[in-house]
Amino acid sequence: MPHAPAERVHKMYSEGGSFMKGMLLGGIFCIVATLLSSFNFGHQQHTDHHNHHHVNAPSKEELLRLPEHKRIELSQNIRVYCVILVEPKDLAYWAAVRETWSKHCDKAEFYSSEEVKVFESVSVETKDPWIMLRKALKHAFDNAKDHKWYFIARPTTFAIIENLKYLLLNKDPDQPFYLGHMVKSGDLEFIELSGGIVLSSEALKRLVGVLGDSSKCPEQGRMIWKLPEDKELAVCLKYTGVFAENAEDTEGKDIFNAKSVNSLINEAMAQTPQEVAESCCSDVAVTFNGHSPNNMHVMMFGVYRLRPFGHKFHDSLVFLPPKDSDND
Amino acid sequence: MAMMSSGGAFFLGFIVSTCTFYLFPMEAPLYKNLHKLDMLVPSMNNLKVENESLNWKVGGPALINLEHPHLKGKDSSVADDIYNKVRILCWVMTCPSNLEKKARHIKATWSRHCNTVIFMSSIDNPSFPTIGLNVTEGRDQLYWKTIRALHYLEQHHLNEADWFLKADDDTFVIVENLRWILANYTPEVPIYFGRRFRPFIRQGYMSGGAGYVLSKGALQRFVEGFRTNVCSHTSSVEDVALGQCMEKMGVQAGDSRDSLLRETFHPVVPEILLAGKFTRSLMYRIYCYYPTVEGPQCCSDLAVSFHYVSAELMYILEYYTHHLRAYGYQYRYNPRLPDNYTRLLAH
């Protein structure tokens, strides 16, 4: 009897020990399972031709493989239609976009929640961001079929269309492309609107095809709560077999950015202080987000004019400055 | 409490652990970290700019540039040639309390494009490195600092460079564009350039903050002026006082505008000139020697300097100038090298 408590304690320890061993093994099992599943994911990237999750800008070698006349033909024929979604409260940004980067789109159309006297726009007569996006894309599809690529942005984004064309040069618009700064939210991979969304002709066609299907792509969204419009877009596109892909330059840097240059520079100042300007961002970045209207004018100067004398780029494409413009 | 068998306890532990992992999103951070590992490898390859610490030769307090930054994909043959024919020694006016706040960022950005750079301070600092000019700090000491600095350069570095550029520790400079302007001139001729201001001096003077550059001939005249007492410490307003000495010693105030007569040296940040109404202000129009221009033509594509530049803006301007571009874009402004360039010799 006097040994019983000791025995009980001993038994408790051994059970506790077994319990802990069980926890440990369970933990290891979970880690291994996660690792394996992510490796499978990685493996998939190489096997699927189009279902991989990132696209790259063409390398110099890839471009030089195309004959020169073909490259010139492509530079001239690749046409980007810009869909810019605005509201009256965005007036200062709207003005800056009109005076800066939108001049480099082959056609830029501003889709506004309501008619605004100061600037020309297509009014979609709704304040709901998802319905606005749907209507704008339907309008773009109906009116701009000859443009093979569609670039969607808010006026807080700054875009360099030449770099977008460079990315798209060797991609077939009759394939379903949905590109930009990709974010994973739970199971859903979507392109952030603030970094700009690129849709190929085929992707837009499929989207318009499913817009009328209220079981797959309803106006009020599929969830009880409202999802942001860029997530709703991803869900609808997924139904049509179009998946989001992150776009990177030949060195693996993101070319679509949902942050501003200032923000990225500050991060680089903390992480890689000896090579901040070299590592913060891509040389051929397409978008940045969150610059003030004044800073958009500075970026226009920085991209299209400011440079150090004595360096030449033997680029494989040629883009001419737009007519009736003097800040580029 | 019911007594469990060891096996039962083990099984229970296993279940608890598995459930914990899936209830709390442990896998997400794990995935993110794996992703980061993937990113680490390409970022090593991103170091296309040659390792800068190997490119400086420390010559006492001067950083002598052995191989200025080269970037992948660029044909820099013209820039390389002009680098050897228009040698610029950059000296940066700083102070001990600004070494970490400001001077350090200049060291990491634009000064790498100079042939030689020297940081001038009030106290020697062999590790940064800086030279101590035997002055105290303060606005009223600025001209003393300048006088001492120029004497130091004339004594120790006269034959290392053709041109001597002064910058503040909040000035951003695009040295390649300065070389393009100076390629049209002979360094033996006494002349100096900068953002030309009109008041006080007949031929005008150069704004201190926007940076100014003296030819070798001008530097020699300045020192001679002090030796012969033609020049002296007349005031603590450094740029005006220097302008006075220059005029007295027959050093010409040059026109630094580009071939379309657009300014290249700027006394403020780009945002103010490109987007603001600053250029309309009466003060600005009175001060500027040349007619002011509002809007995008305020500033040359081949801008040389900006002033009041924060640390963050230094890196942003370095990124805009030397990295970010529009692929394939044909610039509107395509100036040639000046005729005089063919007469310059490489060193």
Side-chain angles (χ1 to χ4, degrees):
Chain A
M1 219 43 186
H3 292 285
E7 251 176 48
R8 238 181 277 144
V9 170
H10 177 80
K11 228 188 167 179
M12 261 165 67
Y13 272 124
S14 74
E15 273 153 31
S18 299
F19 185 81
M20 294 311 285
K21 281 181 208 158
M23 288 257 306
L24 189 65
L25 196 66
I28 293 171
F29 171 76
C30 291
I31 292 172
V32 171
T34 315
L35 274 171
L36 280 176
S37 66
S38 65
F39 272 131
N40 280 337
F41 175 77
H43 195 66
Q44 231 172 36
Q45 279 179 318
H46 300 289
T47 48
D48 295 68
H49 163 69
H50 188 66
N51 214 18
H52 54 73
H53 290 250
H54 67 178
V55 297
N56 284 91
S59 69
K60 202 170 181 118
E61 295 71 37
E62 277 172 28
L63 278 180
L64 289 175
R65 249 180 256 148
L66 299 167
E68 188 179 336
H69 71 271
K70 185 82 184 152
R71 274 183 268 133
I72 293 176
E73 190 191 307
L74 282 172
S75 322
Q76 287 168 346
N77 292 346
I78 184 167
R79 308 189 68 218
V80 174
Y81 181 90
C82 295
V83 170
I84 304 157
L85 306 161
V86 293
E87 286 173 62
K89 68 174 172 68
D90 299 323
L91 214 57
Y93 289 97
W94 186 344
V97 172
R98 271 171 47 104
E99 290 160 23
T100 60
W101 64 264
S102 63
K103 292 190 277 190
H104 290 246
C105 303
D106 293 282
K107 174 93 174 85
E109 194 69 80
F110 292 84
Y111 293 87
S112 169
S113 55
E114 59 192 75
E115 228 177 82
V116 168
K117 282 207 170 66
V118 195
F119 297 134
E120 221 177 86
S121 66
V122 172
S123 172
V124 291
E125 280 151 24
T126 174
K127 276 193 158 58
D128 182 308
W130 173 224
I131 299 178
M132 236 178 116
L133 181 57
R134 293 167 59 106
K135 290 194 171 182
L137 289 175
K138 178 82 173 63
H139 183 274
F141 179 73
D142 291 336
N143 292 285
K145 280 207 189 59
D146 52 330
H147 294 78
K148 292 298 195 170
W149 295 97
Y150 303 85
F151 174 69
I152 308 155
R154 292 264 301 124
T156 46
T157 304
F158 188 99
I160 304 165
I161 301 297
E162 288 78 6
N163 292 342
L164 176 58
K165 290 186 176 182
Y166 169 52
L167 169 72
L168 300 177
L169 191 75
N170 59 352
K171 303 194 173 46
D172 180 6
D174 296 322
Q175 289 290 312
F177 282 99
Y178 166 40
L179 313 171
H181 183 87
M182 186 179 80
V183 173
K184 195 172 157 76
S185 170
D187 266 339
L188 182 69
E189 283 179 348
F190 69 100
I191 301 296
E192 271 201 272
L193 177 58
S194 53
I197 301 175
V198 181
L199 292 176
S200 67
S201 206
E202 175 63 22
L204 182 60
K205 182 164 148 212
R206 291 193 195 183
L207 174 74
V208 169
V210 84
L211 281 179
D213 186 340
S214 57
S215 62
K216 292 187 180 150
C217 193
E219 265 197 3
Q220 65 271 30
R222 296 192 68 248
M223 311 292 253
I224 321 162
W225 60 90
K226 272 192 188 293
L227 279 183
E229 66 274 34
D230 43 12
K231 283 189 182 172
E232 294 281 8
L233 180 66
V235 172
C236 292
L237 281 170
K238 234 177 153 178
Y239 269 116
T240 69
V242 181
F243 299 94
E245 292 174 282
N246 196 49
E248 294 155 17
D249 65 14
T250 51
E251 291 164 12
K253 286 202 194 114
D254 281 349
I255 55 178
F256 291 83
N257 297 289
K259 296 181 187 174
S260 63
V261 173
N262 303 56
S263 184
L264 292 164
I265 287 277
N266 275 303
E267 282 175 22
M269 281 169 76
Q271 287 165 14
T272 51
Q274 287 312 311
E275 32 154 45
V276 175
E278 289 79 5
S279 64
C280 86
C281 334
S282 173
D283 287 13
V284 289
V286 177
T287 57
F288 294 101
N289 179 62
H291 286 264
S292 68
N294 280 357
N295 273 326
M296 289 203 199
H297 288 280
V298 177
M299 195 176 283
M300 197 72 178
F301 178 69
V303 172
Y304 292 106
R305 296 174 57 202
L306 184 66
R307 69 231 186 236
F309 182 84
H311 302 275
K312 274 190 177 61
F313 288 95
H314 300 291
D315 290 335
S316 317
L317 305 174
V318 170
F319 296 115
L320 296 176
K323 293 191 179 43
D324 308 320
S325 181
D326 75 337
N327 60 354
D328 52 20
Chain B
M1 194 160 107
M3 296 277 229
M4 296 180 282
S5 67
S6 286
F10 181 89
F11 185 69
L12 190 65
F14 188 89
I15 296 293
V16 168
S17 179
T18 319
C19 289
T20 315
F21 262 90
Y22 283 100
L23 269 177
F24 299 100
M26 297 280 232
E27 49 173 301
L30 197 65
Y31 178 75
K32 257 188 237 156
N33 285 331
L34 282 173
H35 222 64
K36 270 200 200 114
L37 278 172
D38 273 341
M39 305 273 253
L40 275 176
V41 176
S43 78
M44 295 298 204
N45 298 330
N46 284 348
L47 192 57
K48 297 299 175 198
V49 177
E50 282 142 90
N51 192 341
E52 65 133 312
S53 60
L54 294 175
N55 291 343
W56 292 116
K57 176 179 102 185
V58 182
L63 290 170
I64 298 162
N65 206 335
L66 295 173
E67 208 175 295
H68 54 291
H70 267 89
L71 286 130
K72 186 175 181 252
K74 271 193 199 186
D75 167 9
S76 304
S77 49
V78 174
D80 287 346
D81 192 56
I82 197 177
Y83 180 89
N84 293 318
K85 293 183 177 166
V86 184
R87 295 172 304 164
I88 301 183
L89 184 151
C90 304
W91 64 275
V92 180
M93 185 94 96
T94 186
C95 59
S97 56
N98 276 354
L99 291 187
E100 281 307 301
K101 276 194 296 182
K102 297 189 182 188
R104 163 169 82 96
H105 304 295
I106 293 184
K107 197 169 154 204
T109 56
W110 65 262
S111 65
R112 299 176 302 167
H113 303 262
C114 307
N115 296 72
T116 305
V117 62
I118 300 181
F119 291 87
M120 303 280 197
S121 175
S122 51
I123 301 173
D124 269 346
N125 181 324
S127 67
F128 189 87
T130 69
I131 291 187
L133 293 169
N134 195 21
V135 288
T136 52
E137 290 298 345
R139 268 197 95 79
D140 58 325
Q141 296 291 304
L142 270 179
Y143 193 41
W144 277 120
K145 249 174 135 171
T146 305
I147 294 167
R148 299 240 158 84
L150 290 174
H151 276 76
Y152 176 88
L153 291 175
E154 195 268 353
Q155 201 176 356
H156 299 276
H157 296 277
L158 189 66
N159 294 311
E160 262 170 52
D162 305 306
W163 300 87
F164 300 83
L165 168 77
K166 177 259 182 179
D168 282 346
D169 53 19
D170 57 356
T171 308
F172 181 84
V173 181
I174 302 162
V175 188
E176 286 86 345
N177 294 341
L178 181 56
R179 289 198 186 92
W180 172 71
I181 292 176
L182 299 177
N184 204 17
Y185 300 90
T186 320
E188 285 69 40
V189 172
I191 189 171
Y192 79 125
F193 295 92
R195 171 56 89 110
R196 200 165 171 187
F197 280 167
R198 183 183 292 284
F200 318 124
I201 318 257
R202 195 176 328 133
Q203 70 164 358
Y205 67 97
M206 305 305 169
S207 151
Y212 50 76
V213 58
L214 273 60
S215 68
K216 193 197 298 238
L219 177 61
Q220 286 169 310
R221 290 266 176 112
F222 182 83
V223 171
E224 197 197 316
F226 277 81
R227 193 178 55 78
T228 57
N229 283 317
V230 173
C231 298
S232 61
H233 184 276
T234 47
S235 96
S236 63
V237 184
E238 171 239 353
D239 43 16
V240 179
L242 184 112
Q244 266 177 348
C245 181
M246 293 284 108
E247 185 163 82
K248 282 191 189 160
M249 293 304 294
V251 175
Q252 189 192 345
D255 180 355
S256 58
R257 295 176 301 169
D258 72 12
S259 54
L260 295 181
L261 301 182
R262 299 178 299 190
E263 295 277 10
T264 53
F265 288 76
H266 301 288
V268 287
V269 295
E271 184 185 337
I272 291 184
L273 294 163
L274 291 166
K277 304 281 179 275
F278 177 74
T279 48
R280 257 195 242 159
S281 81
L282 189 64
M283 178 84 151
Y284 186 70
R285 282 185 287 145
I286 288 175
Y287 259 75
C288 289
Y289 189 91
Y290 300 110
T292 57
V293 179
E294 211 184 315
Q297 304 312 313
C298 65
C299 316
S300 175
D301 291 19
L302 300 182
V304 172
S305 71
F306 296 101
H307 186 217
Y308 298 119
V309 177
S310 65
E312 178 192 279
L313 189 57
M314 292 270 173
Y315 296 106
I316 292 175
L317 288 173
E318 183 88 356
Y319 174 64
Y320 284 169
T321 310
H322 298 280
H323 296 271
L324 183 63
R325 67 190 190 93
Y327 186 89
Y329 188 69
Q330 305 301 297
Y331 297 117
R332 289 186 198 272
Y333 181 58
N334 287 299
R336 292 264 111 78
L337 274 165
D339 292 329
N340 184 60
Y341 184 65
T342 52
R343 283 177 235 133
L344 298 175
L345 300 166
H347 290 91

